[in-house]
């Protein structure tokens, strides 16, 4: 598959080269950090939502008489609609912009926190759009770290704090309806994020792909200023129109994903993330029930689940760091092998609760290392015109796994106990390691053309001719 790296994947026009050079020159500013913080807040509560079935599982099992299979099946509606939400968000994001879909998805999440299907739709689009957006705001060197940090908030701290958040709600609202309060409480924080998201601009890459050079220069100038609300903003001419033609901008066509060279990336990476998400969501959903079956109380099971999820935080942070320094495929391959080994260790060496917690935390470390690295990898596989849908399709496959794999794991748990759950996870990570070998390496390559390095031989940014002063409205 090495030759596949040499197939051009998008334009390498003078404007694109100027854009790459501008990102490198601007670097990481306070504006980037503000955008990142706003995105992370939303993704944190998205993760709380994804964990609600697992957190509420012991209560539902007790009051409704559900089996492990039933609890796994409860994820089907939420994650099935998340997959649909990601696909639609990707298509619309390539056509109308990343910023538009980010706002719509968050609004759906806020309105529908009492209804799993609506929430799933909003959560699905929210995260895939956030990953695409952050990768398009940053320089080639930092884009991996930025996309990875989304999962620090979502999969890392989100998974770690979800059991504590659930325990807090159950303490404040005890009784058989406490799970309803858990869902209802998720709407309140999202309302605040809707207000703040209005400060996040459209990405310069998307604007440039639509020949909106003036708007792209304005956003680049905002990033360079260090604030999302600069006073008396001076717009610099990072991108010029000297080499532009009168041709209409390239239109997005989702069908490109299923033609060469993209199909050779889309299918193996989608299968890989199906394996990883399926294994992760099975464990998230069933772990509290597993602890209760071992004789621990609801409070104890949620506490132990939180201890295991501590590995998630470290794994997501590690992936964000590796995204700056290491090739993607190397991280994904080694991580998959070690995740498989950790899953086997839980069932073979976990002879007491302390060893189960230790190996469980190690397992979650590698799970989040892999999922975060996939989030870094996916946006780099596709050019701007189809990036939102390409990322959405890959992440939607992961969501689809959440709609049926936990049900299979629940059946295995009912029949074989913890061995069935982690045995399936180990097998899925073995498949992951194989599939990831079929994709191209993207580290240090142009996001528009994988045959080109991201920063080598970039022309100098055009001189700032006649800067225009623009005062942004507050």
């Amino acid at each position: 598959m090495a030759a596949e790296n040499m197939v051009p994947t998008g334009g390498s026009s003078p404007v694109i080269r100027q854009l790459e050079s501008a990102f490198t020159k601007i670097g990481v500013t306070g504006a980037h950090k503000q955008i990142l913080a706003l995105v992370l807040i939303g993704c944190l509560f998205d993760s709380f939502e994804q964990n609600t079935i697992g957190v509420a599982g012991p209560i539902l099992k007790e009051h409704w008489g559900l089996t492990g299979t039933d609890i796994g099946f409860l994820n089907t509606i939420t994650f099935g609609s998340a997959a649909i939400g990601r696909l639609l968000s990707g298509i619309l994001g390539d056509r109308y912009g990343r910023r538009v879909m980010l706002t719509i998805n968050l609004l759906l999440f806020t309105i529908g926190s009492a209804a799993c299907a609506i929430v799933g739709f909003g959560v699905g689009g929210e995260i895939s759009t956030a990953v695409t957006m952050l990768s398009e705001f940053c320089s080639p060197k930092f884009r991996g770290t930025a996309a990875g940090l989304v999962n620090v908030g979502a999969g890392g701290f989100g998974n770690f704090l979800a059991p504590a958040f659930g325990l807090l709600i159950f303490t404040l609202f005890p009784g058989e309806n406490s799970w309803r309060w858990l869902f209802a409480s998720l709407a309140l924080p999202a309302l605040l994020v809707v207000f703040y998201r209005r400060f996040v601009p459209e990405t310069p890459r998307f604007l440039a792909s639509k020949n909106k050079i003036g708007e792209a220069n304005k956003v680049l100038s905002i990033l360079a200023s260090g604030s999302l609300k600069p006073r008396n903003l001076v717009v610099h001419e990072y991108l010029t129109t000297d080499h532009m033609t009168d041709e209409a901008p390239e239109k997005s066509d989702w069908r490109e994903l299923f033609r060469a060279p993209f199909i050779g990336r889309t299918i193996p990476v989608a299968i890989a993330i199906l394996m990883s998400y399926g294994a992760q969501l099975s464990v998230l959903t069933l772990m509290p029930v597993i602890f209760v079956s071992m004789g621990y109380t609801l409070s104890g099971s949620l506490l132990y689940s939180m201890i295991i999820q501590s590995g998630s935080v470290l794994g997501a942070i590690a992936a964000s760091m590796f995204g700056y320094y290491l090739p993607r495929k190397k991280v994904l391959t080694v991580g998959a092998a070690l995740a498989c080994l950790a899953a086997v260790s839980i069932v073979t060496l976990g002879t007491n609760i302390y060893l189960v917690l230790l190996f469980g935390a190690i397992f979650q470390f590698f799970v989040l290392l892999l999922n975060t690295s996939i989030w870094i990898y996916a946006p780099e596989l596709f050019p701007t015109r189809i990036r939102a849908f390409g990322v959405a399709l890959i992440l939607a496959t992961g969501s689809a796994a959440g709609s049926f794999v936990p049900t299979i794991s629940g059946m295995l748990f009912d029949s074989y106990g913890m061995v069935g759950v982690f045995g399936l996870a180990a097998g899925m990570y073995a498949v992951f390691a194989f599939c990831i070998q079929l994709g191209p390496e993207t580290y240090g390559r142009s996001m528009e053309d994988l045959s080109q390095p991201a920063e080598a031989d970039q022309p100098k940014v055009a001189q700032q001719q006649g800067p225009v002063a623009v005062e942004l409205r507050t």
Side-chain angles (χ1 to χ4, degrees), residues 52-63 163-164 166-171 173-176 178-179 182 287-293 295-306:
T52 49
I53 297 299
V55 170
I59 291 179
L60 299 177
K61 191 173 188 294
E62 177 184 354
H63 292 290
L167 188 58
L168 173 63
I169 298 300
F170 296 157
T171 302
F173 304 99
E176 63 181 34
S178 56
W179 66 274
L182 179 61
M287 209 65 222
V289 177
I290 290 174
F291 283 128
V292 169
S293 72
Y296 297 100
T297 64
L298 172 62
S299 298
S301 69
L302 292 179
L303 176 61
Y304 289 146
S305 296
M306 187 175 177

Side-chain angles (χ1 to χ4, degrees), residues 273-361:
I273 201 169
L274 187 149
M275 296 294 114
S276 188
Y277 267 48
Q280 180 202 18
L281 294 171
S282 295
V283 173
L284 284 177
T285 302
L286 294 173
M287 209 65 222
V289 177
I290 290 174
F291 283 128
V292 169
S293 72
M294 295 169 66
Y296 297 100
T297 64
L298 172 62
S299 298
S301 69
L302 292 179
L303 176 61
Y304 289 146
S305 296
M306 187 175 177
I307 292 174
I308 285 179
Q309 293 303 335
S310 64
S312 300
V313 179
L314 298 177
I317 293 173
S320 298
M321 294 174 59
F322 293 162
Y324 193 87
Y325 295 105
L326 298 176
R328 315 308 187 208
K329 289 179 64 175
K330 181 178 293 186
V331 174
L332 291 167
T333 301
V334 174
L338 294 176
C340 180
L341 181 62
V344 172
S345 298
I346 291 174
V347 296
T348 58
L349 302 177
T351 55
N352 57 57
I353 187 62
Y354 302 108
L355 290 175
V356 170
L357 293 177
L358 173 62
F359 289 119

Side-chain angles (χ1 to χ4, degrees), residues 4 24 29 68 130 138 167 215 222 356 430:
E4 202 271 343
T24 300
T29 70
C138 299
L167 188 58
E215 294 181 42
I222 290 174
V356 170

Side-chain angles (χ1 to χ4, degrees), residues 271-273 275-277 279 322 328-344 362-374 422 424-437:
I271 294 174
I273 201 169
M275 296 294 114
S276 188
Y277 267 48
F322 293 162
R328 315 308 187 208
K329 289 179 64 175
K330 181 178 293 186
V331 174
L332 291 167
T333 301
V334 174
L338 294 176
C340 180
L341 181 62
V344 172
I362 293 174
F363 174 77
Q364 285 300 126
F365 174 89
F366 289 113
V367 166
L368 265 294
L369 174 72
L370 292 172
N371 287 357
T372 305
S373 297
I374 282 281
F422 285 97
L424 176 63
M428 295 178 80
Y429 281 114
V431 175
F432 180 107
F434 170 78
C435 288
I436 212 67
Q437 306 310 310

